[in-house]
Every structure is written in C-alpha cells, then in structure tokens.
Amino acid sequence: VRNLKELGTLWVVVPDAQLRATEQHFAAQPVRVPGLRIVGERSIVPELDLIRPSGWYRQQLVKLAIAEHVASSCYLTLDADVICTRAVSAQALAPDGKPGCYVIPEDLHPDWYRHSEGMLGLRASRTGILHNVTPAVLVRDAVLELRDFLQAKRLQPGVRGAKQAAALALTKLTRRSDFARWRVMLAAGTPWTEYGIYYTFLEATRRFDRYHTHAPRAIYDVEGSLWRADRDRFDDWDPEACFTGEGPPWFIVVQSNAGIDPKRVWAKMERWLG
C-alpha cells in the first residue's frame, strides 16, 4: 500500500475456512487498505466444491479465474510472500497498457512447459527459457481469450482427458449454474502452471506481441530475493539495497516454502515498512 499508490482493488483470495480470520486480521490493522476485497476462493472458483486440486494448483487457478472479476485491463498477481520495496505506478508496470515479460535464458523448469503444452494441446516455439513468475502483470483480455479457448477445447485421449471427462460429468449432475467448463478443465487437468499455460497459449497462437513486450529484467529482484535454496543464509541476508533507489525491480520475494517464520522476515523489513 505504501509503495503502490495506484493499487485500485486489492483482491485477497483465501481458503474459505480462513475467510473470517482474515477479515478480522485486516479489520484490526491500524492502516486501512483502499479497495480491499477479501473473498473466499470458492467465490472465484466455485468448482472447488467438487474438484480439489492441491494448494499449489488452487492458487494458480485463482490467478487465472480472477480475470473474470477484475475491472482493469491488466492485473498484478501477488502472493503473501511478495513485498513491494519501491514506489511503482501502473504506467511503470504496464506502459500504455502493455506489460513487459522477462524471460530467463535458462531451462530451469522444463516440466512446467511440457505439462502446460500437454494441457493445451499446443506447442510454442521456444527452447531453454523460463518466463517470469509471481509477481507478474497479466492482461485481462489475454486471460479471457485463454478462457474461451479452454471453454471450447475438446477432450484429449489419455489420463488427463479421462479425469476432465469425469469431472465434467460430475459437475453436470449438480446442475450448478455457476460452474464453468474452462475452470473444470483446469482444476481436473493438472499438472500445469499458470504462467506456463498463459505464455504458451499466447506464443502458440501468435498473440504475445499483441499483449506484451519483452522486458530487459523482471519486476522482482531475482538476486535480491530469498528463495527456498537460500534459506540457510537468511541471517546474513540484507535486503537494504532492494529498498533504496528506484526500480525496476520494485518487488522482492521471500519464498514461503523456505519455511522462515514471518515474524523473522518482518523484523528484517520493519525499518522500511513499519
């Protein structure tokens, strides 16, 4: 909130069992967040009443499904382990409404793309790269075009297609009007990753240049962040350089699966954010 003055609506999507506690937590804070909306994940992905992918896939599905709820042309994806360290504007994140995408020239997660291409039934012309991850700026219309593609997509033979067919049959039996085929396809069609499937769709259908540009660096500090592999150096980690000067980058990540107590992380950040 301090560094993102043009935040607009901040959607905080939480597991429904944690909704009440999250509302109480924010209500107790001395600083009010303009445009705050706290919702349960089933209000964004009602299919989770029937299909229960793991937590990692649930959050990825939410990041795509929220496109049907946001009002802006672009939206910034965030996780609880992302920290905005420098002042940033909407124009900086998406110049003229066209956000940049940073491509890491290393094949760090080939399975992300192999699984995403299998889910889509599309192939993108690329070798040995990795697109930027959360925090990222997605284009609403691009996600909705992906939605329409999945809504009309035929089931493929194999285990994935069989799981999707069973899930679609189950949702029809419920006669729920709020269920959507594209979300069922994703929820029952794991494995895939949200950015793998998003960028693969744009590249394979030659839509990337319509919605994005290639950025020279990510909006988050790759070297300044603390990733799971870095957890043993937390005591020596000094984020001061990430908070001083101007961006990009404007964010850092203290990866939650590093297992570091949030109170210890806050102790490192309080002098700049407290």
Side-chain angles (χ1 to χ4, degrees):
V1 176
R2 173 172 295 181
N3 289 322
L4 252 173
K5 299 299 184 184
E6 302 171 339
L7 188 60
T9 302
L10 175 61
W11 291 85
V12 178
V13 186
V14 299
D16 289 74
Q18 299 174 18
L19 181 58
R20 180 62 176 159
T22 305
E23 291 173 336
Q24 292 174 339
H25 171 79
F26 276 94
Q29 300 307 306
V31 177
R32 291 292 175 259
V33 180
L36 176 66
R37 292 201 59 180
I38 306 170
V39 298
E41 60 187 5
R42 282 184 171 84
S43 69
I44 307 300
V45 188
E47 295 78 7
L48 293 175
D49 279 336
L50 291 179
I51 309 166
R52 296 180 173 84
S54 69
W56 191 48
Y57 290 109
R58 292 165 83 99
Q59 63 163 303
Q60 292 181 83
L61 181 49
V62 164
K63 286 172 185 165
L64 296 174
I66 197 71
E68 295 186 312
H69 299 265
V70 301
S72 54
S73 61
C74 302
Y75 63 96
L76 173 68
T77 62
L78 297 168
D79 287 331
D81 56 7
V82 174
I83 300 157
C84 186
T85 57
R86 295 166 172 163
V88 61
S89 66
Q91 173 65 17
L93 290 170
D96 300 319
K98 206 169 184 180
C101 169
Y102 174 63
V103 175
I104 301 169
E106 293 182 71
D107 197 7
L108 298 176
H109 295 284
D111 286 351
W112 290 4
Y113 296 100
R114 179 169 57 84
H115 292 319
S116 296
E117 289 178 342
M119 168 67 200
L120 291 168
L122 297 174
R123 292 293 300 272
S125 178
R126 73 165 86 89
T127 54
I129 65 166
L130 175 69
H131 295 90
N132 53 207
V133 293
T134 306
V137 182
L138 302 186
V139 179
R140 180 178 181 270
D141 282 350
V143 180
L144 296 183
E145 289 196 41
L146 169 62
R147 173 200 66 184
D148 294 343
F149 172 83
L150 292 171
Q151 190 73 11
K153 184 179 182 300
R154 291 185 177 182
L155 297 176
Q156 295 174 273
V159 174
R160 190 197 308 267
K163 288 164 53 182
Q164 290 170 325
L168 287 167
L170 183 61
T171 56
K172 285 182 180 179
L173 290 175
T174 66
R175 300 182 184 274
R176 288 270 297 267
S177 61
D178 56 344
F179 286 171
R181 188 178 192 275
W182 78 282
R183 293 192 299 263
V184 175
M185 294 281 282
L186 287 172
T190 59
W192 48 266
T193 58
E194 73 274 55
Y195 303 114
I197 209 167
Y198 175 79
Y199 289 116
T200 293
F201 171 73
L202 294 183
E203 292 168 346
T205 59
R206 299 183 179 180
R207 285 171 166 86
F208 181 91
D209 292 335
R210 183 189 308 174
Y211 294 117
H212 288 273
T213 61
H214 286 284
R217 65 185 307 173
I219 64 174
Y220 53 92
D221 192 329
V222 178
E223 291 77 23
S225 294
L226 196 84
W227 308 98
R228 180 173 58 177
D230 305 319
R231 59 185 155 196
D232 292 337
R233 68 177 183 89
F234 176 77
D235 289 338
D236 298 323
W237 176 64
D238 184 1
E240 180 174 4
C242 302
F243 284 91
T244 55
E246 298 180 350
W250 299 282
F251 301 88
I252 59 172
V253 178
V254 182
Q255 201 164 24
S256 59
N257 60 10
I260 301 167
D261 189 330
K263 292 179 180 178
R264 296 180 64 202
V265 177
W266 177 249
K268 292 255 190 182
M269 307 290 170
E270 189 174 10
R271 58 183 289 198
W272 297 286
L273 300 176

